[in-house]
Amino acid sequence: MAANSVNAQVSRDPRSIRTRRSRLSDSIAKNIFLFCAILVVAIIFGVFIFLGFNGLKMFQDPAAKNFFTSTKWDPTADSPSFGALGFILGSVVTTLIATIIVTPISFATALYLTEMAPKWVNALLRPLIEIFTGIPSVIIGFLALIVLIPWLAKVAAPIAPSAANAGVGWGAATLVLVVMVLPTVVSVSMDALTAVPGSVREASLALGSTRWQTMKDAILPAAAAGLGTAVVLGMTRAIGEALAVGMVLQGDVNLPQNLFTPGVFFQPNINITNAILNYFSEASGTERNGYLMLGFVLLIISFLFICLSRYIASRSVYK
């Protein structure tokens, strides 16, 4: 009887009750978080499996044997052709050129804001940059149609094949991607530079380095992994952008003839996302599977970029 009385008192002890409730809530929270993690992974794998399974069906059609080697895409011809090399080339060209333009501008901006700018400038511009990363792409596309394309039409008219549509194409798409990617790369680059320990700066200055030498020889090398991650993340966003790029490309499904001339940047052109955006909804059969395969290719490229960014981040000197 005494033992039962002691156990009853312990069970009614407020601290014991709080402990059991705490353990129960921890267990529930743990299971919820585990379910969410499994759900996210399942969704990601589901997207890969769905696109891959349906996209690979197109290779059952003999007309798709040149999918990665031909630039001719004509699903409605008597002898259909499904060459996606032109789409892939368009996405790669605009992404690489935009990245080449964005990288030095982003690094210079991030260095100025983190190492040289007065505090009030940093406090003003940094939130604006972070806000700009969330601007809808359709807004940038509208601005490009209203401002950028008329300006490019005047500037590029002498070298464009047709003055009537000289403002559209890869050139406009590249500049749109620059505007869209720049805030992201600047923001991540600033985080990488801020993460460099102050002792690195102090050691460099103590050795007699100027401010420029400190930034060039000490801070940039120390933040190289984070800066590389910023560039790769920018490329990932650039290659997957559809709406704003589609608004300024205005191409059909095939590359223009004058591919190796400067004028190719100032005429209607193509890329992967533009093709999927404009033609997938009305496609059927092998053509539909072809657009799904294009989406799978885009997903694989983005996945490789993410893997590269994680690898670069893992090489960081400062954890």
Side-chain angles (χ1 to χ4, degrees):
M1 293 293 293
N4 292 336
S5 177
V6 171
N7 291 334
Q9 291 178 359
V10 171
S11 63
R12 291 193 297 269
D13 185 5
R15 289 178 296 179
S16 176
I17 295 174
R18 285 197 298 269
T19 301
R20 288 197 299 270
R21 288 177 178 174
S22 177
R23 290 176 179 174
L24 178 62
S25 61
D26 288 347
S27 177
I28 294 174
K30 178 182 177 181
N31 291 331
I32 292 174
F33 294 156
L34 177 62
F35 173 77
C36 292
I38 294 174
L39 180 63
V40 170
V41 173
I43 291 174
I44 294 173
F45 273 103
V47 171
F48 271 92
I49 292 172
F50 175 80
L51 286 179
F53 178 78
N54 288 280
L56 291 172
K57 285 182 180 179
M58 73 166 302
F59 294 107
Q60 298 174 359
D61 190 333
K65 63 181 180 180
N66 296 326
F67 183 81
F68 292 105
T69 58
S70 173
T71 60
K72 184 180 180 181
W73 184 277
D74 191 358
T76 60
D78 294 335
S79 298
S81 178
F82 299 94
L85 184 59
F87 300 131
I88 298 173
L89 180 64
S91 293
V92 171
V93 167
T94 53
T95 299
L96 288 181
I97 297 178
T99 303
I100 292 172
I101 297 172
V102 163
T103 299
I105 299 175
S106 299
F107 290 176
T109 303
L111 274 173
Y112 171 74
L113 292 177
T114 57
E115 304 297 329
M116 302 176 65
K119 290 184 178 181
W120 69 269
V121 174
N122 195 354
L124 176 64
L125 293 183
R126 186 160 187 166
L128 291 177
I129 291 173
E130 293 174 352
I131 291 173
F132 195 70
T133 60
I135 291 181
S137 59
V138 66
I139 302 300
I140 298 177
F142 274 136
L143 292 175
L145 288 174
I146 296 171
V147 179
L148 178 63
I149 288 181
W151 176 77
L152 282 178
K154 296 178 181 179
V155 174
I159 61 173
S162 173
N165 51 19
V168 301
W170 283 352
T174 299
L175 294 179
V176 165
L177 290 178
V178 168
V179 173
M180 297 189 65
V181 171
L182 187 63
T184 300
V185 180
V186 170
S187 182
V188 179
S189 298
M190 290 176 65
D191 292 337
L193 293 172
T194 304
V196 176
S199 57
V200 174
R201 299 171 177 83
E202 295 170 0
S204 179
L205 293 172
L207 292 173
S209 300
T210 63
R211 176 177 289 186
W212 165 245
Q213 290 172 331
T214 298
M215 290 189 292
K216 179 174 66 74
D217 299 328
I219 297 175
L220 284 178
L227 297 176
T229 300
V231 173
V232 174
L233 291 177
M235 293 176 66
T236 303
R237 182 178 184 188
I239 201 167
E241 176 53 41
L243 186 55
V245 171
M247 293 172 72
V248 299
L249 278 178
Q250 300 184 14
D252 46 24
V253 292
N254 289 297
L255 288 170
Q257 297 297 321
N258 55 336
L259 186 60
F260 299 101
T261 64
V264 74
F265 287 91
F266 306 104
Q267 65 185 93
N269 221 317
I270 60 174
N271 76 347
I272 293 177
T273 55
N274 183 54
I276 297 173
L277 178 68
N278 291 330
Y279 304 109
F280 175 75
S281 60
E282 300 178 358
S284 61
T286 303
E287 182 184 4
R288 180 181 176 86
N289 293 332
Y291 292 127
L292 289 171
M293 188 63 196
L294 284 174
F296 185 63
V297 170
L298 195 61
L299 188 63
I300 292 296
I301 294 174
S302 299
F303 177 74
L304 293 176
F305 281 160
I306 294 297
C307 290
L308 178 60
S309 70
R310 300 307 303 166
Y311 172 76
I312 293 174
S314 70
R315 308 298 295 176
S316 176
V317 177
Y318 303 102
K319 302 294 184 181

